[in-house]
Amino acid sequence: MSGQPAWGLTIHEARAALDAGQLTSQELTASVMARIEAVEPTLKAFVTITGDQAMEQAQRADDRIAAGEAGPLTGIPLQLKDNLSTVGIRTTCSSRMLENFVPPYDATVTARLKSAGAVLVGKGNMDEFAMGSSTENSAFFPTRNPHDPNRVPGGSSGGPAAAVSAGEALFSLGSDTGGSIRQPASLCGVVGLKPTYGLVSRYGLVAFASSLDQIGPFTRDVEDAALVLSELAGHDPRDATSIDWPMPDYASALTGDVRGLKIGVPKEYFPEGMGPGVESAVRAGIEVLAGLGAEIVEMSLPHTMHALAVYYIIAPSEASSNLARYDGVKYGYSAEAETMWEALAKTRQEGFGPEVKRRIMLGTYALSAGYYDAYYLKAQKVRTIIRSEFAEAFSEFDLLATPTSPSVAFELGAKTADPVSMYLNDIFTMPANIAGIPAISVPAGKVDGLPVGLQLMAPHLGEETLLRAAHAYERAADHDMDPSL
Amino acid sequence: MELSTHEVEQIAELAKVGMTPEEIEVMRSQMSDILDRFKALSEVDTEGVETTAHPSGVVSVLRDDVSEQGLTQSEAMSNAPRTQGEFVRVRAVLD
């Protein structure tokens, strides 16, 4: 390989070089490890780096490539968000509670990527238990944005977004409960895909809000997202919400043709007070799709304004139940005390950070006797209304186009004092989780040197159309999203 | 929606999260602020609307009761903070 360093390749570029014998997985992995060594002191995108194991995996991948048994991801270095279980490698959720937790089993996505021959270089930093939008809630350290290290990478999957942007991995996996893949992808200038709820198994993903959580890829372009999704998607008997459905080959959906696609632009996603640069970049992106032959129609999703309340009742309620398992008895942090009840309260006082406690408290309140009907039950009903509103929109439109986030990356510390201002970062991404539909954030250029994301949403299991449009847009717009770092 | 200090203490007790009086006060103010944001939901007409528990549409997933190899006992106990022989050790439940 001449010119660009191997760590800067996309998956499909690296695949071509690996298969042509111009590059080995060991060279590629060594290049990525050197890049990690160079930029990690600034970025801090990793909780754990698994360099030695990665080189062993790369050697095995090279054997497999030489034997002519390579798949699309064989020999490709990746990172995993640190809430995805990896057998023998600690999985912390960036929490004191799980600081020393070493899973005895792999998540289904981990196992699938292992059998595909991908090379794990480490585990990505995140907001504790995936609760946050800036990665400042990590109990260990914040991650920095590769486009400006004084700014946040977004969250909760800030480590994966920063790592892929900066060349510390060719791809990463994150989880998206209310925007935790798409919002950091937008802020770091990479592609982030949240698949349809149930398309990718959640087995081995540390649970936050089980009816909203979904795993998906961070990549440098849309073709890579399609390649990774094809490896991840598929029914898993270990996840009872997993969809049993004939999985398509997503890469073959990327025809470049969006002529005749009808794309709705909901006016509620362009509120007053949004960063003016964000709106113009996103509107310019939508114009690009129009120029490619898509039909663009302004429309309305009036219940969008209720998504924030629905999300912040349902997600904390499910979290308060899911996180009840952290009792200091079976695994995880365990505080010293005389009796079981004292030890339980102290373990959770010392093991959880402020945002996690806030969500457990909110959820406990919303589920408690006397308030259940007014909060949780009401939110579940409004959730149905929001789902129906999307279903109705998709009877008329193939896709919806919106900004991913109302703002570009903000400075560290700018929103930590006010939880509600932090929650508002996800107002455009939460509705897709509430409805369970797929959505992607694709780079739409920069404003003052900081990336902006265009979000496309599709109906249930509409990933092929979603990826086709995102891919056509990406090729036509041809934005340079390389970070300054 | 202004929560009282007593209410927040009760929620912390239910959630089994230990908190100092200072933490309770911060939590009271922040939770009150967040709950205020939820008021708008009461204005949505949900008469006759079904609830959504999860969005994938699959229900009552069952499989045949066939045994398979799971974790070994030592794997399952490998992260337990206190063990005694083959058991997880807990602290006294009753005084």
Side-chain angles (χ1 to χ4, degrees), chain A residues 102 334 337 348 358 378 384, chain B residues 16 30 44 50 52 79 82:
Chain A
V102 179
S334 184
R348 293 160 67 80
R358 202 147 43 228
K378 184 79 180 179
T384 302
Chain B
K16 295 285 179 273
Q30 290 177 335
V44 183
E50 297 282 320
T52 293
N79 285 286
R82 272 173 304 279

Side-chain angles (χ1 to χ4, degrees), chain A residues 289-305:
Chain A
L289 284 163
L292 292 169
E295 184 190 347
I296 308 296
V297 182
E298 296 273 334
M299 44 84 75
S300 173
L301 293 170
H303 285 90
T304 299
M305 59 182 291

Side-chain angles (χ1 to χ4, degrees), chain A residues 100-105 197-198 211 238 240-244 303 305-306 308-310 312-314 318 328-341 343-346 348-349 352 354 357-358 360-362 364-365 368 371 375-385 387 417-420 423-424 433-436 460, chain B residues 1-3 7-20 23-24 26-28 30-63 68-72 74-83 88-95:
Chain A
N100 299 307
F101 176 71
V102 179
Y105 64 93
Y197 180 82
S211 80
R238 289 175 154 159
T241 59
S242 165
I243 301 170
D244 199 353
H303 285 90
M305 59 182 291
H306 297 300
L308 182 87
V310 169
Y312 276 99
I313 292 169
I314 290 176
E318 294 184 7
V329 174
K330 304 179 290 293
Y331 51 81
Y333 178 76
S334 184
E336 289 302 324
E338 285 293 308
T339 71
M340 190 185 77
W341 296 116
L344 184 51
K346 204 172 163 202
R348 293 160 67 80
Q349 178 172 21
F352 290 137
K357 288 178 189 167
R358 202 147 43 228
I360 290 173
M361 293 285 287
L362 272 173
T364 304
Y365 178 75
S368 61
Y371 297 102
Y375 289 106
Y376 190 66
L377 201 66
K378 184 79 180 179
Q380 283 192 311
K381 288 179 177 175
V382 180
R383 184 175 190 180
T384 302
I385 293 173
R387 280 179 69 199
D418 177 6
V420 172
Y423 297 170
L424 288 168
N433 300 81
I434 289 167
H460 198 68
Chain B
M1 178 81 206
E2 200 63 25
L3 292 174
E7 281 176 300
V8 179
E9 285 168 348
Q10 276 190 318
I11 302 163
E13 169 58 28
L14 284 171
K16 295 285 179 273
V17 178
M19 281 194 206
T20 64
E23 287 172 321
I24 291 281
V26 172
M27 192 65 76
R28 192 189 65 74
Q30 290 177 335
M31 285 179 71
S32 301
D33 192 19
I34 295 163
L35 290 171
D36 264 342
R37 294 277 175 154
F38 298 167
K39 271 193 204 148
L41 273 196
S42 61
E43 295 156 18
V44 183
D45 180 7
T46 52
E47 188 66 40
V49 176
E50 297 282 320
T51 59
T52 293
H54 79 93
S56 80
V58 296
V59 286
S60 298
V61 179
L62 302 173
R63 63 167 174 81
E68 55 181 89
Q69 184 64 48
L71 297 177
T72 64
S74 65
E75 283 169 343
M77 300 212 358
S78 59
N79 285 286
R82 272 173 304 279
T83 55
V88 173
R89 189 175 172 84
V90 297
R91 294 185 179 84
V93 179
L94 303 171
D95 290 331

Side-chain angles (χ1 to χ4, degrees), chain A residues 268-290:
Chain A
E268 289 80 6
Y269 286 70
F270 296 87
E272 279 181 42
M274 209 168 98
V278 174
E279 170 156 6
S280 55
V282 170
R283 292 219 183 260
I286 294 168
E287 276 307 303
V288 169
L289 284 163

